[in-house]
Amino acid sequence: MNDSLPITEQENPRSARLDELSPLEIVRLMNEEDALVARGVERVIDEVARAVEGIVGRMSAGGRLFYIGTGTSGRLGVLDASECPPTFGVSADLVQAIIAGGYDACYRAVEASEDDRAAGGRDLQARGVTGADAVVGIAASGRTPYTAGALQHAQRGGAFTIALTCVPGSELTRFADVSIAPMVGPEVITGSTRLKAGTAQKMVLNMISTATLVRLGYAQGNRMTNLSARNAKLQERAVRIISAEINTNEAQARAFFTEANGDLRVALLMGKAKVTRAEAEQALATAGWIVGKALDSISQKSTESRKLAADDFIP
C-alpha cells in the first residue's frame, strides 16, 4: 500500500485477487466493504449537522444551495438536486447542481474537464452565486482542480462553503467553512470512487438536502406535504397524505385534491383551515408555499378576528 497516495487511490489488500473470485465471492466482498460506508458516515454526523445549520441560515435569508463537482461526484450532485423539486415542491432554482463539462457529463465521461481549475469559479459565476448562497464542493479525493477552484471562488465571495470528500485534510477542505470527510477506505477496484466513496457521498447529500428542506418547513412530520404530484403514483400518495393529515376518508381527501386542481399544498390548507381554494392559494403565496407557515398565518388572522369581534361587544 502506497501511503503517499490519497486513501481513495490506494489498493485494497482484501480485493487483491478479485479476478480469481467467483461471482458470489466478488459480490459478498463488495457487500462487506459497503458495510464500512455507513460507519464512516456516522463518524462525521456532527459535521453534516453543522453544514445543514449553515445552509438553512443562508436559505432562510433568501440564499440558494449549489452542488459542484466532476465525474461521479458531479453526477451525484445533479441527482440529489434534481430530486428536490418533486419531493419538496421547491423551485428548481433553490437547489442547483453544476457538473464539469455541463449536463452532457451526466451520461458520458468528460473527465478531462476536471483539470481546469479556473472553470469551476467561472461556472459558479455564470449561475450568479453570491455571498448569500451555500456551495457544496464534492470530490472523493479532495484534490480535483475544478472543484477546489470552485470552492475557493465561492469562499472568496463570502458564500457558506462545504467540502464533501473522503480524504480528511485534502486541498478541498482548505476552502470550506465545514469539511465532511467520511473515511471509507480503499475501493474494491483501486481508485474506482463510484463505489464506496460514491455511496458515502450520496448518503451525505441525501442528509443535507432532506434535513435542510425539512427544517425550512417543506414537510410536516415525515410526510411530503409539498409533494409535486405529477403522475398517477404520486397523485395516489398525495390523496393518502391528505387523508392522514386532515383525518378524513379517501373519498373526501380525493375531493379536496380535485378541488385544489391537484395541488397538494392547497388541498391540505383547504382541509385543515376550512378555507376556499382562493384563500388557500393566497395564504400559501404569502408564506412562500410552506404549508405550516400558511396555516399559522390563517390561524393567527382567525384569532385576531375573533378578538376584534369580542371587543366590539364589550359594553
Side-chain angles (χ1 to χ4, degrees):
M1 184 178 293
N2 185 347
D3 292 334
S4 66
L5 290 172
I7 195 165
T8 53
E9 295 294 327
Q10 293 177 17
E11 293 192 359
N12 189 332
R14 297 193 67 218
S15 60
R17 302 180 69 177
L18 189 68
D19 61 333
E20 299 176 15
L21 302 182
S22 69
L24 177 60
E25 289 170 327
I26 291 172
V27 296
R28 178 173 287 141
L29 174 59
M30 292 182 71
N31 182 244
E32 290 170 356
E33 288 292 309
D34 285 342
L36 303 175
V37 175
R39 292 180 222 160
V41 172
E42 183 182 11
R43 288 191 287 269
V44 297
I45 285 296
D46 288 347
E47 288 83 358
V48 177
R50 283 175 51 213
V52 169
E53 288 170 0
I55 296 167
V56 168
R58 294 302 171 103
M59 293 176 81
S60 295
R64 300 161 295 169
L65 170 60
F66 289 86
Y67 297 140
I68 189 162
T70 73
T72 296
S73 296
R75 294 178 195 112
L76 289 169
V78 171
L79 173 63
D80 197 72
S82 67
E83 291 290 348
C84 291
T87 304
F88 296 103
V90 298
S91 163
D93 292 334
L94 192 64
V95 182
Q96 300 183 39
I98 301 170
I99 181 170
Y103 284 122
D104 284 354
C106 290
Y107 58 88
R108 65 182 179 87
V110 287
E111 313 299 41
S113 59
E114 72 179 45
D115 295 331
D116 189 344
R117 187 181 185 92
R122 289 197 302 269
D123 287 350
L124 287 178
Q125 207 164 17
R127 294 287 183 96
V129 174
T130 72
D133 299 316
V135 179
V136 181
I138 314 166
S141 68
R143 62 179 186 176
T144 308
Y146 174 91
T147 311
L151 209 61
Q152 184 177 25
H153 173 88
Q155 187 183 61
R156 283 174 177 166
F160 179 67
T161 54
I162 301 104
L164 175 52
T165 175
C166 290
V167 181
S170 55
E171 183 189 10
L172 195 65
T173 65
R174 289 169 40 203
F175 312 117
D177 295 308
V178 177
S179 295
I180 303 170
M183 292 279 284
V184 297
E187 301 287 2
V188 169
I189 294 287
T190 305
S192 183
T193 51
R194 69 185 182 87
L195 300 176
K196 289 189 297 183
T199 300
Q201 289 172 327
K202 186 177 190 306
M203 289 176 70
V204 171
L205 291 172
N206 283 348
M207 291 176 180
I208 288 173
S209 59
T210 300
T212 295
L213 293 173
V214 168
R215 292 295 297 165
L216 288 169
Y218 292 101
Q220 297 287 298
N222 62 358
R223 297 188 180 116
M224 292 186 280
T225 48
N226 276 53
L227 170 75
S228 181
R230 294 180 179 174
N231 60 33
K233 178 188 76 173
L234 296 179
Q235 288 162 8
E236 290 304 310
R237 183 184 298 165
V239 170
R240 292 195 298 273
I241 290 171
I242 295 166
S243 179
E245 283 289 307
I246 65 177
N247 193 26
T248 191
N249 58 45
E250 181 184 336
Q252 184 61 60
R254 198 174 297 280
F256 276 121
F257 188 57
T258 301
E259 190 176 352
N261 280 343
D263 191 316
L264 173 59
R265 302 165 298 184
V266 175
L268 286 170
L269 211 58
M270 290 168 60
K272 283 173 172 269
K274 305 294 188 290
V275 295
T276 66
R277 189 181 85 196
E279 290 170 330
E281 289 172 343
Q282 182 178 1
L284 283 161
T286 302
W289 293 91
I290 296 175
V291 174
K293 285 185 179 179
L295 190 61
D296 288 344
S297 174
I298 291 173
S299 177
Q300 183 179 352
K301 287 180 181 178
S302 177
T303 300
E304 290 171 355
S305 295
R306 286 195 301 270
K307 184 177 182 300
L308 287 172
D311 288 345
D312 287 342
F313 285 97
I314 295 175

